[in-house]
Amino acid sequence: MRAEGFGVKGPRGWAFRGVDVAAGPGSLVALAGPSGSGRTCLLLALTGRMKTREGHAEVGGVRLPRKMAAVRRFSALAHVPGVSDLDPAFTVAEHLREAALLRRRFAGSPLALLRSRSTRTAENRRRVDAALEAAGLDPLTLPKGERTAVRDLERLEALRLTVAMALLGEPRLLAVDDTDLKLGDAEAAAAWSMLRSVADGGVTVLAVCNEVPAEADVVVRTGDAPGGGTAAGSAGADGARGADRAGEPDRGGGSDRPGGAGDADGAAPAGDGGDTGGKAGPGGTAGSTADTGSTADTGSAGGAADTGDTGSAGGARRDVNHEDDEEGAADAFAETGRA
């Protein structure tokens, strides 16, 4: 495996860029770095499951990103959250049986269908036993044997199960994400020992980790490449959007508008009464007139007269002539005050 200037760019910027990798067959490659630095993206890119934007790589003699499908044929994913999750309701036996059927359907030879059913069953059993042994998972040690549900497995046991399922297809490249996540020191040591034995069997192993193990042959660190990796890219994009939002006007407007005292008395805030022509208190109407500088714009003459409907019957509806606009407005304000 060899990669030069490898980089993946997403909607929020570069996930990683400028990554160089050089590892021989049967190597244990540790992909280390802080969370959010593009470790999983690099893992998926090297297994032909994510297209890169810059650089190139050669995996198993196949060039990326030109022949991603070819790399997917001889690579397998073990534990990768969001991509190859286990079903918590399925048992260990059901997961293994499903993986074996999928391998036979999509990766097996069509000539295998010509074999007898007993022969195919024996072949699947041999593959399952070999994969379980390589992953270090003994079903007899589980609470209910192969009938144990995934939800009842420990973190290390679930990791071993995903590795066994991936090894059913006899891949040349194995990818594992979050290898040491939620594992104690002893469990993490057991997990790395298991991956080391898989690599010694000739399978190149890519493993994402927080702490670099002593068993690793090659260490690739993300987050140090130019562009800052995913963490810096995401923060920059989110910060820019936050700055844009900060410059937008507040459309909720309750606490920033004037006329707070009027709100406490049940009257509409200043400026709202003129806009709607509805029921505004004295403070609201006065504020609207002062803001616009024109009673015609805020509808204080007509609108305030309408609010008189809640006041006395004599001042509820008043015909105001165009010549007596100012006098009518004053009378309307007076009626609203009495209301």
Side-chain angles (χ1 to χ4, degrees):
M1 175 189 300
R2 182 176 299 275
E4 295 180 2
F6 228 35
V8 168
K9 187 176 183 181
R12 291 190 173 186
W14 289 97
F16 66 88
R17 67 185 311 188
V19 174
D20 299 329
V21 182
S27 299
L28 176 55
V29 183
L31 306 180
S35 179
S37 61
R39 301 174 303 176
T40 303
C41 292
L42 178 58
L43 184 84
L44 295 175
L46 290 173
T47 54
R49 289 165 173 83
M50 184 171 287
K51 191 172 183 179
T52 57
R53 289 290 297 273
E54 70 177 12
H56 59 87
E58 188 173 305
V59 180
V62 179
R63 192 173 180 85
L64 290 173
R66 183 177 301 173
K67 297 182 178 180
M68 297 171 60
V71 175
R72 290 196 295 268
R73 292 190 188 100
F74 61 78
S75 63
L77 301 182
H79 172 70
V80 180
V83 181
S84 58
D85 295 303
L86 298 174
D87 191 324
F90 277 22
T91 64
V92 172
E94 289 170 339
H95 274 100
L96 292 171
R97 187 179 305 115
E98 180 185 51
L101 290 174
L102 290 174
R103 185 211 63 81
R104 188 174 66 186
R105 171 64 179 82
F106 295 104
S109 171
L111 297 177
L113 299 176
L114 302 177
R115 301 173 184 173
S116 64
R117 184 174 181 179
S118 59
T119 303
R120 295 198 303 268
T121 301
E123 176 65 16
N124 285 340
R125 187 71 256 177
R126 182 194 67 79
R127 286 178 176 271
V128 169
D129 291 341
L132 289 174
E133 182 180 359
L137 180 63
D138 185 1
L140 298 179
T141 62
L142 301 178
K144 297 181 181 179
E146 288 188 345
R147 298 178 57 190
T148 303
V150 168
R151 66 167 63 94
D152 298 326
L153 296 178
E154 299 293 336
R155 170 72 175 87
L156 179 59
E157 294 171 341
L159 178 63
R160 292 184 186 276
L161 176 59
T162 61
V163 171
M165 292 170 58
L167 293 177
L168 283 175
E170 299 180 349
R172 288 186 285 159
L173 178 63
L174 175 67
V176 187
D177 194 12
D178 293 336
T179 304
D180 53 359
L181 181 67
K182 297 181 180 179
L183 292 181
D185 294 340
E187 293 176 328
W192 287 116
S193 176
M194 177 259 297
L195 294 180
R196 178 69 266 175
S197 66
V198 171
D200 291 340
V203 180
T204 303
V205 179
L206 299 175
V208 172
C209 60
N210 294 318
E211 300 291 335
V212 177
E215 293 85 354
D217 298 313
V218 179
V219 178
V220 180
R221 298 187 181 274
T222 58
D224 299 330
T230 302
S234 298
D238 292 341
R241 282 193 291 273
D244 291 340
R245 295 192 193 100
E248 293 178 0
D250 183 6
R251 293 180 176 84
S255 61
D256 296 333
R257 288 181 290 187
D263 292 346
D265 295 334
D272 288 354
D275 293 340
T276 61
K279 300 175 183 179
T285 308
S288 299
T289 306
D291 290 341
T292 60
S294 171
T295 57
D297 292 340
T298 59
S300 57
D306 290 342
T307 58
D309 292 345
T310 59
S312 60
R317 292 176 178 83
R318 188 183 300 266
D319 293 333
V320 181
N321 296 328
H322 292 292
E323 299 121 16
D324 299 325
D325 282 339
E326 294 183 359
E327 182 180 353
D331 292 340
F333 287 151
E335 292 296 342
T336 306
R338 286 196 294 273

